[in-house]
Amino acid sequence: MSETRHKSGAPWRNFYGRFKAKGLRGSQQAYLDEDLPHLSSGPVDWEENPDRTPLDLAALFGERDVWLEVGFGGGEHLVHQAEANPDVGLIGCEPFINGVAMLLGKLRQSDATNVRVHPGDARDLFDVLPDGSISKAFLLYPDPWPKARHHRRRFVTPEHLEPLHRVLKPGAEFRVATDIPDYVRQTLEEVPKAGFDWLAERPGDWREPWDDWLSTRYEQKALREGRVPHYLTFRRV
């Protein structure tokens, strides 16, 4: 049976989440109108790239390594990494437009010039990232989808992990942070099956954050509510 597709040729992919919330301020709309076009990661959406031509990352970042953050929330961690690693190019992917506006506001206050943004579904971005082009990836406090019937909506499923494995370089690092025990369980089941090695050797390797970690507002909320963060590090085989 053939796959259902839109008129544009795009596969019909269910998206479970919010693209926009109420309360987008005038200044945030200005960030989107004025800054987002020149910070674009390139033609990702099916309407502008129906042939799924791979992105020219060298045109965006030169010969630098490229890192990817999937679901950057308010952008704190992405900006932190960009400022700390000016010799790296970073692509941030976030479908929630209010989060994109928050990131753009932070970038206006930052000297970082090595960030590009895809304001949409990570699966569309995976379509057009070249094979083996990403040196490090971050999945930080993803939507937990706590109900059992919704677990297939989580990022740590083959629908996302298989294309992630394809775009990562062999040996690339994949970091996952979550405060949801069942998300930890599913991550440790599904990520190794997708072609990754879990690098933990002692309890501190998942209880202690990475040396270059910046605690996000999501993590601070989890800590206030008594949930325990887990920091999982994988290597792409």
Side-chain angles (χ1 to χ4, degrees):
M1 185 175 179
S2 61
E3 185 180 42
T4 303
R5 290 182 174 268
H6 296 272
K7 291 181 179 180
S8 65
W12 188 274
R13 289 167 171 164
N14 289 323
F15 181 81
Y16 306 100
R18 299 175 300 164
F19 281 103
K20 187 174 182 179
K22 297 178 181 179
L24 195 66
R25 298 192 299 272
S27 60
Q28 292 178 319
Q29 187 62 56
Y31 301 154
L32 295 169
D33 294 340
E34 298 168 12
D35 297 357
L36 187 56
H38 70 265
L39 291 176
S40 170
S41 56
V44 172
D45 293 336
W46 281 80
E47 290 76 11
E48 58 183 348
N49 187 356
D51 295 329
R52 313 316 282 152
T53 302
L55 298 179
D56 186 352
L57 297 183
L60 292 177
F61 301 116
E63 298 304 314
R64 290 182 282 189
D65 281 347
V66 181
W67 297 356
L68 171 67
E69 183 166 344
V70 176
F72 54 72
E76 307 100 308
H77 177 266
L78 185 60
V79 174
H80 167 70
Q81 291 289 354
E83 292 175 343
N85 300 280
D87 57 336
V88 169
L90 291 104
I91 298 176
C93 180
E94 173 60 61
F96 188 43
I97 202 66
N98 296 61
V100 174
M102 292 175 66
L103 168 69
L104 297 177
K106 292 179 175 67
L107 287 173
R108 282 202 176 188
Q109 304 300 316
S110 171
D111 293 329
T113 60
N114 53 335
V115 175
R116 296 295 182 270
V117 183
H118 170 55
D121 193 328
R123 292 169 294 183
D124 292 337
L125 180 62
F126 289 148
D127 287 346
V128 294
L129 282 174
D131 292 0
S133 61
I134 303 299
S135 299
K136 185 179 290 188
F138 306 92
L139 178 69
L140 309 176
Y141 293 95
D143 195 323
W145 294 110
K147 294 181 180 179
R149 68 177 183 273
H150 293 158
H151 287 182
R152 61 187 175 83
R153 301 180 181 181
R154 291 173 170 175
F155 184 90
V156 288
T157 56
E159 183 179 11
H160 299 92
L161 294 173
E162 290 173 3
L164 175 66
H165 183 273
R166 178 185 61 77
V167 305
L168 286 176
K169 293 180 178 179
E173 186 176 293
F174 176 39
R175 295 181 179 181
V176 181
T178 181
D179 58 302
I180 306 299
D182 189 68
Y183 206 103
V184 173
R185 175 201 59 76
Q186 188 171 349
T187 300
L188 293 178
E189 287 180 359
E190 296 296 334
V191 175
K193 289 195 296 187
F196 295 83
D197 288 333
W198 185 31
L199 300 184
E201 296 179 351
R202 58 187 180 86
D205 291 337
W206 69 84
R207 294 175 180 168
E208 299 167 6
W210 302 280
D211 291 341
D212 59 352
W213 175 242
L214 177 76
S215 185
T216 68
R217 61 195 179 110
Y218 295 106
E219 179 168 278
Q220 292 302 311
K221 181 175 185 289
L223 292 170
R224 288 195 302 271
E225 295 177 359
R227 297 190 298 277
V228 178
H230 292 74
Y231 309 95
L232 309 175
T233 308
F234 300 90
R235 180 189 296 121
R236 192 270 203 202
V237 178

